[in-house]
Amino acid sequence: MKKNILILVFICFTTMTFAQVELRSLTVENLSEPIGIETKVPRFSWKLTSKKRDVKQTAYEIQVKEGNKVVWSSEKVTSEKSIFNKYQGVSLESNTKYAWQIRVWDNKGNTSKWAKSTFETAFMSSNDWKASWISSGLKSDTVNGNVPMYRKTFSVDKKVVSAKIFVTSRGLYEIQINGKRMGDSYLNPGWTSYSKHLQYQTYDVSNLLGKGKNAIGALVGSGWYRTHLTGEPKKTNIFGKQTALLFQMVIKYADGTQEIVVSDASWKTSNSHILYSEIYNGEIQDARLEQKGYSTASFNDDKWTSVVLKDFPIHYITSAINEPVKKHEILKPIKVLTSPKGETILDFGQNLAGWVVVKIQGTSDDKIKLSHVEMLDKSGVPYFENLRTAKAQATYILSGNGIETFEPHFTTFGFRYVKVEGVTGKIDPDNFTAVALYSDIKKTGSFETSNPDINQLQSNIQWSQKGNFLDIPTDCPQRDERLGWTGDAEVFSRTAAYNFNVNQFFSKWLIDVAADQGKDGSVPFVIPNIFLPEVGFSLPESAAGWADASLIIPYNMYVTYGDKELVERQYPSMKAYLNHIRQIAKNDLWNTGWQFGDWLSYRVDDSNDEIGMKSAITDNYLVAQCFYVYSVQIMIKTATLLGKTEDVKEYQALLERVKKQFENEFMTPSGRLISETQTAYILALQFDVLPENLRPQAVERLVKNIESYNFHLTTGFLGTPFLNPVLTRFGRNDVSYKLLLQDTYPSWLYPIKGHGATTIWERWDSKKPDGSFQDPSMTSFNHYAYGAVGDWMYRTIVGIDTEEADGAGYKEITIKPQIGGDLAYAKGSLETNYGLLSSVWKIENGKFIFDVEIPVNTTATIEFPTEKIETITEGKMNLNAKSKSARFGSGKYHFEMQL
Ligand code: BGC
């Protein structure tokens, strides 16, 4: 009897705990337990989990404490809002640790336990900076010269409770404390529009300090700050001539006192063993010159000289809001090759951005040189030409003292193959490890199908994202470019947001978009803008599809993450850009100025006229007018969201006029466009530019065009992202799948089937069908733009998407898998701001078997891919479906149906 009661109690207890709503993933400003929060109103987010279905948050309560003092209690707030809840307590203090806790109530009568987390503030005011900018003042400290080292000793005599370092540089820094490298991030402080926006990072170094004498060491390399950033090696020092360091350490002692150690005239400096360090060309290190132990207290710095103080501004420096660059995948060579010229080449099997760590034993003066390339030519010789002027080399001169380890400090390379010179004897591939470096954005998406080629395409898209999300979104990671091209980021931003959480990444970059915007609202081609008149550039600005990144990306971030504050912050910039287009357009027709148009669309002369058809050139101003329409549509949605009713009215009227002008200028009365290209019809359909009654025939023309190329795409950067979405939306999903599965040039799978590509190429035929390369002046093998099809793959094949407006950020979800392409299964998931959303289906004997997970606190509308709705079951019970689609609350579901 007693035993039975016990069992009953146990069952009740376990069901009670299972029924319980629980909390996880507590973040402040999108970061978990951040230590450098500077915003006065940080935003709190959390995720709910529950074993039950249909669970929603009905209320929450947040408490924030500093020590034992409650600085904010929200009390119980009746609300479903579980993301971006703003702090409303007393003003936050600088450099202070806050503990916060949250509990929620759900619609099933449960209350969660308190979940706890922390955040720490950085400097809440620029007055907190007590440090001075220091430079080496060394003659050799120039753009092509030696990388200077800095050092400083200090004493710790009391018990330390916390020690934090706040640091930035003009140039790139690396810090050591008592002989240990500080932190696990690289290329800090990252790349921003340095003269207007510079970030500092915060590090907790409490564990690195010891009692007695301590030492700090620092290296400051030229980085993006002053090495040349275009194919013109003479155009150096774009942001300034002199690198410098700004450093402040705050040590808090157990007795309640604190002490600061700052960069000032007492620091000393010397040349380092890094003889040369440059973004495109690489690095040269001479281990014979290494001053070992330079960041330890006992090091003798008698020969070092005093630093020079600089009065560079401090007031505009802000705490970093994005994830720093870190080391990620580690790859070993899969082959050691010998080229016909006798060169030794390591093949890492994957095109990536990062560097190679070399662990080697040799004799003093041995000089090991690694040259990085993406490709070998037909005969197996490393292909350097597409790097243009970038040397992409790492050179290490050995000291001869035992096993030595080398890796660069302030540069990266885009490569799959490395040519190795200078190793005596047989190469041991084990001595070489490739490391992928990219921003520490968290992986959110997964995608897999029964077709290995599509899976490889997905892998290539993700690798091109990894290769180009290096603090800013770059076009490519290898040649003498690697710039924040706005158009590339714009077309890829939605796909990027499926694969990784890019909220903070883009939030930081968009600060620079606004900062670099002209007074007239124009937006430069690249952000940070390096095409500055001061360095002799004079370029046109605001090209369609490129400059509109300034409003498309903020809006996409709102849609994906529900980050309203981001669009609020960007709104003045978005509005200024639209006004700029209104100024340059005549009578609402954008027909002036430089345009890239549908960049890199199919051209006959590109690959020996493989498919025997005409070049697909779309009128540049037709493209521009479509993007004008798109921009106005985004502004209507954004202004509506922000309650700017006057703007909404104005933009609605503008939209009608801009569309009308499109018809007047680019369309015959029967709906034929002046450019008979895929891109022309795609853009006109995607943005609803065509009158409704003319859309069906436009779809027909589009499909005819695709057929005339024997089911090949011919789109460039701007048409490609919308090609499959338009076909699917207008009922031709069959054609979308045909294009996706096409594997001869031009197509997404051609690089994979034809040439074993492991990243997305810049051109459809960066390598031609005959194995030769495209024009080396512009042929990259790691350019994510065409990978924008990834967005359609998630939205259509596995069918996961979010509603916009009030349902943004996956609060209101749509799940609508659309089958095709003979796929037997597809699995996809996305870690949303509410939790894991997944859609997994397979087809077996005419049956569609479908597993779905909907995060707590969200609702999903599922559309089933069958007409036989009477056969739909869920967990063995007939659903009695009234239509193909129905709304579901959170939870896991198992559906089956006949197709
Ligand atoms: C870049 C692009 C960029 C383009 C603009 C190229 O050199 O690599 O991807 O968008 O210039 O036309």
Side-chain angles (χ1 to χ4, degrees):
M1 179 62 184
K2 220 174 174 187
K3 199 172 161 200
N4 282 349
I5 293 175
L6 260 179
I7 290 172
L8 194 69
V9 170
F10 179 72
I11 291 172
C12 288
F13 180 74
T14 43
T15 44
M16 256 167 61
T17 37
F18 279 147
Q20 190 66 267
V21 59
E22 286 176 9
L23 290 163
R24 67 173 180 100
S25 301
L26 275 59
T27 58
V28 177
E29 288 299 307
N30 275 324
L31 303 168
S32 159
E33 306 199 329
I35 63 166
I37 290 293
E38 192 189 67
T39 167
K40 299 199 165 32
V41 187
R43 295 166 303 159
F44 301 92
S45 307
W46 53 88
K47 293 179 189 177
L48 282 64
T49 56
S50 170
K51 297 271 180 222
K52 283 196 165 182
R53 283 184 178 173
D54 298 319
V55 178
K56 284 222 168 153
Q57 173 183 302
T58 52
Y60 67 85
E61 181 177 357
I62 304 178
Q63 256 183 28
V64 182
K65 278 185 177 175
E66 195 247 304
N68 292 327
K69 208 167 59 208
V70 175
V71 291
W72 181 45
S73 172
S74 70
E75 306 289 325
K76 185 173 175 181
V77 183
T78 305
S79 166
E80 276 188 25
K81 200 166 151 58
S82 56
I83 61 169
F84 300 127
N85 281 298
K86 291 184 181 177
Y87 175 75
Q88 289 166 44
V90 298
S91 297
L92 297 171
E93 304 281 333
S94 285
N95 189 19
T96 302
K97 184 169 185 168
Y98 293 90
W100 69 286
Q101 54 176 2
I102 164 82
R103 61 174 168 168
V104 299
W105 287 259
D106 73 10
N107 57 345
K108 304 281 171 186
N110 294 306
T111 310
S112 76
K113 292 197 194 115
W114 284 103
K116 296 175 199 288
S117 190
T118 59
F119 70 95
E120 294 175 47
T121 50
F123 291 159
M124 302 307 279
S125 148
S126 58
N127 293 334
D128 292 325
W129 279 107
K130 305 295 174 214
S132 307
W133 280 108
I134 53 170
S135 273
S136 74
L138 297 168
K139 258 215 191 96
S140 51
D141 181 4
T142 60
V143 56
N144 293 322
N146 190 289
V147 172
M149 293 195 288
Y150 298 83
R151 85 175 234 114
K152 158 90 189 161
T153 54
F154 60 98
S155 281
V156 172
D157 303 318
K158 296 188 267 184
K159 191 172 176 326
V160 174
V161 284
S162 100
K164 272 205 243 152
I165 287 175
F166 306 86
V167 59
T168 189
S169 54
R170 294 160 85 94
L172 300 177
Y173 70 81
E174 238 179 62
I175 307 282
Q176 291 192 0
I177 306 282
N178 297 326
K180 287 214 174 81
R181 190 182 191 280
M182 176 179 79
D184 58 353
S185 56
Y186 292 82
L187 304 165
N188 289 304
W191 191 4
T192 51
S193 300
Y194 290 129
S195 3
K196 300 159 190 161
H197 173 212
L198 177 63
Q199 296 198 132
Y200 66 90
Q201 282 76 29
T202 305
Y203 301 84
D204 188 333
V205 292
S206 315
N207 293 335
L208 294 181
L209 301 191
K211 248 215 151 137
K213 211 167 169 206
N214 287 259
I216 306 156
L219 286 165
V220 181
S222 297
W224 297 288
Y225 186 73
R226 69 175 178 189
T227 64
H228 74 280
L229 293 169
T230 65
E232 297 179 55
K234 290 215 172 92
K235 290 197 167 132
T236 53
N237 301 320
I238 292 178
F239 297 100
K241 250 191 170 150
Q242 189 54 66
T243 54
L245 179 73
L246 186 75
F247 175 101
Q248 184 158 328
M249 172 158 56
V250 182
I251 310 171
K252 290 186 181 175
Y253 294 115
D255 66 3
T257 60
Q258 68 172 46
E259 204 173 333
I260 60 169
V261 179
V262 294
S263 48
D264 60 17
S266 68
W267 287 51
K268 294 182 96 179
T269 185
S270 161
N271 278 333
S272 74
H273 71 289
I274 307 174
L275 308 183
Y276 176 88
S277 174
E278 216 269 1
I279 292 285
Y280 298 147
N281 293 338
E283 234 168 75
I284 303 174
Q285 298 177 20
D286 186 342
R288 296 168 307 181
L289 305 177
E290 195 172 348
Q291 302 188 46
K292 284 232 157 74
Y294 85 100
S295 68
T296 57
S298 56
F299 180 81
N300 180 346
D301 62 13
D302 286 355
K303 293 211 180 88
W304 289 41
T305 53
S306 291
V307 297
V308 176
L309 293 184
K310 290 279 168 188
D311 60 358
F312 297 136
I314 290 180
H315 67 271
Y316 74 110
I317 299 171
T318 52
S319 181
I321 61 166
N322 60 321
E323 301 87 349
V325 171
K326 288 197 178 173
K327 287 182 171 174
H328 293 93
E329 290 83 353
I330 283 179
L331 291 98
K332 282 285 176 196
I334 56 164
K335 266 185 228 148
V336 182
L337 306 164
T338 308
S339 83
K341 291 184 180 170
E343 301 151 305
T344 306
I345 302 152
L346 303 175
D347 176 2
F348 287 96
Q350 172 65 52
N351 200 21
L352 61 99
W355 61 53
V356 172
V357 179
V358 185
K359 244 187 190 169
I360 206 152
Q361 185 156 20
T363 44
S364 177
D365 300 349
D366 276 358
K367 191 177 185 176
I368 296 181
K369 189 150 91 186
L370 308 184
S371 304
H372 304 73
V373 293
E374 297 184 292
M375 281 283 174
L376 306 180
D377 72 13
K378 273 199 245 184
S379 67
V381 169
Y383 183 62
F384 288 101
E385 285 78 351
N386 70 326
L387 304 180
R388 306 196 303 214
T389 66
K391 288 202 179 70
Q393 281 174 349
T395 305
Y396 306 119
I397 302 163
L398 271 54
S399 70
N401 299 330
I403 297 176
E404 300 177 63
T405 305
F406 296 95
E407 65 182 331
H409 294 261
F410 304 119
T411 188
T412 54
F413 310 105
F415 65 99
R416 168 175 169 167
Y417 302 93
V418 171
K419 172 175 143 186
V420 185
E421 292 168 275
V423 175
T424 16
K426 202 170 171 257
I427 284 241
D428 180 357
D430 246 13
N431 293 343
F432 301 85
T433 311
V435 183
L437 279 119
Y438 51 91
S439 286
D440 197 27
I441 44 179
K442 299 285 170 279
K443 194 171 178 218
T444 46
S446 73
F447 177 90
E448 188 195 315
T449 69
S450 53
N451 184 320
D453 297 331
I454 299 178
N455 298 345
Q456 186 62 47
L457 175 63
Q458 166 67 6
S459 166
N460 293 6
I461 295 169
Q462 286 184 332
W463 270 105
S464 280
Q465 181 166 359
K466 294 170 188 175
N468 285 293
F469 274 50
L470 192 89
D471 209 54
I472 64 156
T474 58
D475 55 337
C476 56
Q478 74 298 82
R479 67 178 176 226
D480 54 2
E481 191 142 5
R482 316 184 197 179
L483 303 174
W485 277 97
T486 47
D488 306 46
E490 179 266 298
V491 299
F492 191 67
S493 59
R494 242 343 260 282
T495 301
Y498 271 107
N499 289 324
F500 290 89
N501 189 322
V502 291
N503 198 169
Q504 293 310 112
F505 178 87
F506 276 121
S507 182
K508 170 253 181 190
W509 184 70
L510 286 163
I511 293 174
D512 292 338
V513 170
D516 279 341
Q517 207 167 0
K519 284 205 175 63
D520 60 355
S522 59
V523 176
F525 292 161
V526 298
I527 303 292
N529 187 16
I530 53 127
F531 296 126
L532 300 166
E534 300 88 284
V535 253
F537 287 106
S538 133
L539 291 183
E541 292 184 332
S542 294
W546 269 252
D548 10 27
S550 58
L551 39 82
I552 295 170
I553 298 181
Y555 187 70
N556 278 347
M557 293 303 106
Y558 170 69
V559 171
T560 314
Y561 302 111
D563 187 352
K564 189 169 163 193
E565 198 167 276
L566 176 60
V567 275
E568 234 156 24
R569 189 192 77 197
Q570 294 300 122
Y571 194 73
S573 150
M574 297 163 79
K575 194 168 169 170
Y577 168 69
L578 187 66
N579 279 341
H580 173 62
I581 300 309
R582 292 173 79 175
Q583 293 299 318
I584 57 178
K586 291 192 196 88
N587 296 325
D588 308 308
L589 184 68
W590 187 358
N591 60 358
T592 54
W594 166 262
Q595 297 296 337
F596 293 113
D598 190 28
W599 187 249
L600 298 182
S601 60
Y602 170 75
R603 307 221 167 197
V604 170
D605 49 2
D606 279 354
S607 265
N608 317 323
D609 192 9
E610 265 296 295
I611 48 175
M613 302 303 283
K614 61 182 188 299
S615 295
I617 299 169
T618 310
D619 183 276
N620 280 348
Y621 293 120
L622 180 154
V623 172
Q625 192 71 5
C626 286
F627 272 83
Y628 192 1
V629 170
Y630 186 20
S631 293
V632 181
Q633 286 165 341
I634 286 181
M635 287 308 282
I636 293 171
K637 293 191 222 176
T638 310
T640 308
L641 174 73
L642 302 180
K644 304 199 182 282
T645 26
E646 284 309 303
D647 287 357
V648 176
K649 263 195 240 149
E650 190 183 327
Y651 296 146
Q652 268 163 346
L654 175 65
L655 181 64
E656 290 320 305
R657 300 198 302 271
V658 177
K659 282 188 180 179
K660 196 86 226 135
Q661 281 292 41
F662 179 91
E663 290 176 30
N664 293 343
E665 190 74 9
F666 303 111
M667 195 186 90
T668 67
S670 65
R672 194 151 61 87
L673 300 181
I674 61 153
S675 303
E676 281 282 327
T677 60
Q678 295 171 14
T679 290
Y681 287 100
I682 291 161
L683 297 182
L685 285 163
Q686 169 73 20
F687 305 130
D688 300 330
V689 183
L690 299 175
E692 236 172 302
N693 61 326
L694 294 177
R695 290 179 199 167
Q697 60 84 33
V699 177
E700 255 171 60
R701 286 177 201 276
L702 170 61
V703 173
K704 280 228 163 69
N705 181 297
I706 295 168
E707 281 168 358
S708 77
Y709 287 93
N710 196 16
F711 290 98
H712 287 84
L713 51 71
T714 61
T715 49
F717 274 27
L718 299 186
T720 300
F722 304 116
L723 170 59
N724 277 6
V726 160
L727 288 163
T728 300
R729 171 179 160 199
F730 288 98
R732 296 310 305 266
N733 203 36
D734 56 326
V735 183
S736 305
Y737 269 105
K738 271 202 169 127
L739 290 173
L740 181 72
L741 295 176
Q742 178 60 262
D743 59 14
T744 53
Y745 166 77
S747 67
W748 284 291
L749 296 188
Y750 157 71
I752 293 169
K753 293 288 265 193
H755 301 288
T758 58
T759 37
I760 302 292
W761 294 353
E762 177 174 26
R763 297 170 177 262
W764 295 120
D765 61 346
S766 287
K767 195 170 187 182
K768 297 184 189 186
D770 68 5
S772 63
F773 294 111
Q774 251 291 356
D775 179 356
S777 71
M778 227 186 63
T779 291
S780 140
F781 294 93
N782 202 352
H783 239 77
Y784 51 56
Y786 289 147
V789 66
D791 169 38
W792 174 85
M793 285 158 45
Y794 277 102
R795 281 203 235 195
T796 310
I797 301 181
V798 289
I800 51 185
D801 201 356
T802 176
E803 296 284 346
E804 294 188 22
D806 290 341
Y810 295 86
K811 182 84 175 95
E812 293 287 334
I813 292 163
T814 60
I815 304 178
K816 187 181 174 185
Q818 301 190 60
I819 54 186
D822 285 332
L823 292 182
Y825 76 83
K827 306 175 184 186
S829 68
L830 180 68
E831 182 62 37
T832 70
N833 274 350
Y834 295 93
L836 189 74
L837 161 65
S838 79
S839 159
V840 176
W841 58 259
K842 58 181 173 186
I843 300 171
E844 268 173 19
N845 306 325
K847 220 184 203 184
F848 187 76
I849 303 166
F850 187 25
D851 286 287
V852 163
E853 182 168 354
I854 302 166
V856 177
N857 209 22
T858 69
T859 313
T861 303
I862 302 182
E863 188 172 318
F864 300 103
T866 184
E867 296 306 320
K868 300 176 185 161
I869 55 173
E870 69 288 352
T871 66
I872 306 175
T873 59
E874 196 284 307
K876 302 270 185 278
M877 302 271 286
N878 193 293
L879 205 61
N880 294 321
K882 302 272 173 307
S883 77
K884 278 177 75 165
S885 73
R887 262 164 81 84
F888 294 86
S890 69
K892 289 184 181 170
Y893 298 88
H894 176 81
F895 302 104
E896 295 194 4
M897 66 211 70
Q898 293 296 331
L899 283 172

